[in-house]
Amino acid sequence: MPDPRHSIPAAYGGVEADAAWAAEIKRLAKARNATILAHNYQVPAIQDIADHVGDSLALSRIAAETDADEIIFCGVHFMAETAKILSPTKRVLIPDERAGCSLADSITADDLRAWKAEYPDAVVVSYVNTTAEVKGLTDICCTSSNAVDVVASIDPDKDVLFLPDQFLGAHVKRETGRDNIHIWAGECHVHAGINGDELMEQTAAHPDAELFIHPECGCATSALYLSGEGIVPEERVQILSTGGMIEAARESKSGQVLVATEVGMLHQLRRAAPEIDFRAVNEKAACPYMKMITPAALLRCLTEGRDEVHVAPDVAERARLSVERMIAIGNPGGGE
């Protein structure tokens, strides 16, 4: 995985996200007939300049519908790949091609081939947070909001290989009650680092708060324990995708919400429901790869037309089928 500490070329150093920067970004995007997409975990300046903000699958579907010639995907590499898979005729750029993902990198295509060989009759279910090559070896994709529905749609007598996130897999196993689901031991290092002890401490300090918990989080089991033991009323604990968090925020009547996911999400939550006090369960839960998409990187991308994302046509075709099968089930929800 690339090192996020590497700096952007010196010519773009020291760029501030001020009004002049914003005007130049808009001018360049218009000149290129480009649309700018930003994931919920991006820094606020990138979210604010984007044409659309959301989770990765929602943004990829927007990319497929836009009339723009170019898609500027402000997120991590697998997300830009998904946009390219669903928009094969468009040019897709990522402001820094080194922006990887610890979760997507936790399983390779070779890993999956070997795993499939152990269970030749199994159905492979891959979270959209995977590379194009892994999606191309997948029977059906899922999102965090529809993973339970996807697995429940599979013949109960069939083995299921669920990958790559072990915490989302554990959530699906709990909800479906399947004993024949095999779960890959991958994780997002940021979400895995949001632990149960932190959640317990924050809940004790804020006893009236609602809990919004991403299913990739290491504290998801603790959240369910708090609910099961009556420490936090069941209706105040929600296991949600990032898109689900936005919807829940708009409907919430709470004065305060504790949020367990990457801290960039707080910006969109506060915009969706400014009257609510949103607080991170772990304020240090920031993805260094998401934060590689800086104002300087976006300016460079639009100025130089770099970095373009390519997916081999045969890989893209196979990967597209696995995504389309998911969408056909219904409730594709958000990307993560």
Side-chain angles (χ1 to χ4, degrees):
M1 184 179 292
D3 187 340
R5 295 171 297 180
H6 291 170
S7 62
I8 206 75
Y12 296 95
V15 171
E16 293 186 16
D18 55 16
W21 170 83
E24 181 65 359
I25 292 297
K26 291 294 187 184
R27 185 190 72 78
L28 288 167
K30 183 177 180 179
R32 301 185 71 92
N33 190 25
T35 189
I36 300 172
L37 309 179
H39 189 268
N40 290 316
Y41 296 162
Q42 291 292 295
V43 297
I46 298 295
Q47 293 189 40
D48 289 345
I49 199 66
D51 298 302
H52 303 279
V53 181
D55 48 44
S56 66
L57 182 60
L59 292 175
S60 292
R61 296 177 78 181
I62 288 169
E65 296 168 0
T66 183
D67 293 330
D69 295 322
E70 291 186 345
I71 308 301
I72 313 299
F73 207 117
C74 299
V76 294
H77 201 271
F78 82 80
M79 298 179 180
E81 281 189 336
T82 306
K84 183 65 177 177
I85 288 166
L86 295 180
S87 308
T89 63
K90 296 185 176 76
R91 192 164 183 252
V92 177
L93 306 174
I94 185 170
D96 194 325
E97 65 182 1
R98 301 166 302 171
C101 171
S102 60
L103 178 55
D105 287 349
S106 70
I107 186 167
T108 66
D110 285 343
D111 290 333
L112 181 51
R113 288 188 189 96
W115 200 25
K116 288 175 70 171
E118 295 179 35
Y119 300 92
D121 297 323
V123 177
V124 178
V125 178
S126 292
Y127 193 19
V128 292
N129 295 34
T130 46
T131 66
E133 287 191 341
V134 167
K135 288 185 179 75
L137 295 169
T138 293
D139 292 305
I140 182 168
C141 282
C142 72
T143 69
S144 57
S145 59
N146 76 355
V148 172
D149 291 339
V150 166
V151 172
S153 76
I154 297 167
D155 183 337
D157 294 327
K158 282 278 192 181
D159 280 342
V160 173
L161 303 185
F162 188 94
L163 62 102
D165 189 83
Q166 61 182 307
F167 298 111
L168 179 58
H171 171 67
V172 171
K173 187 170 185 175
R174 278 194 302 268
E175 293 295 311
T176 62
R178 288 183 83 120
D179 292 326
N180 58 350
I181 181 170
H182 310 277
I183 301 168
W184 190 260
E187 63 182 30
C188 161
H189 72 286
V190 175
H191 282 106
I194 305 174
N195 62 55
D197 289 343
E198 291 169 335
L199 181 64
M200 298 285 192
E201 291 172 7
Q202 291 281 9
T203 301
H206 307 282
D208 297 324
E210 269 191 89
L211 306 182
F212 287 3
I213 313 292
H214 195 283
E216 287 179 37
C217 284
C219 67
T221 300
S222 295
L224 295 174
Y225 168 81
L226 290 171
S227 173
E229 293 296 309
I231 298 169
V232 177
E234 184 177 353
E235 65 273 13
R236 295 219 312 262
V237 178
Q238 300 195 62
I239 309 295
L240 299 164
S241 66
T242 54
M245 287 184 184
I246 295 291
E247 295 175 7
R250 292 182 177 134
E251 296 173 0
S252 177
K253 305 300 181 185
S254 295
Q256 190 173 69
V257 176
L258 299 177
V259 182
T261 191
E262 209 273 356
V263 293
M265 190 68 211
L266 295 174
H267 186 60
Q268 285 302 311
L269 289 172
R270 288 165 178 160
R271 292 182 66 174
E275 71 282 3
I276 296 175
D277 176 21
F278 291 100
R279 299 194 177 203
V281 171
N282 182 338
E283 293 180 351
K284 296 180 179 179
C287 174
Y289 301 103
M290 283 287 183
K291 273 42 177 181
M292 290 176 75
I293 311 303
T294 62
L298 180 56
L299 179 61
R300 182 194 68 139
C301 178
L302 287 166
T303 302
E304 300 181 6
R306 298 170 55 190
D307 296 325
E308 186 171 358
V309 174
H310 300 279
V311 179
D314 60 324
V315 173
E317 182 57 32
R318 292 195 304 272
R320 192 176 307 116
L321 288 173
S322 66
V323 175
E324 288 173 347
R325 289 186 190 114
M326 172 191 70
I327 293 171
I329 287 177
N331 182 32
E336 64 291 313

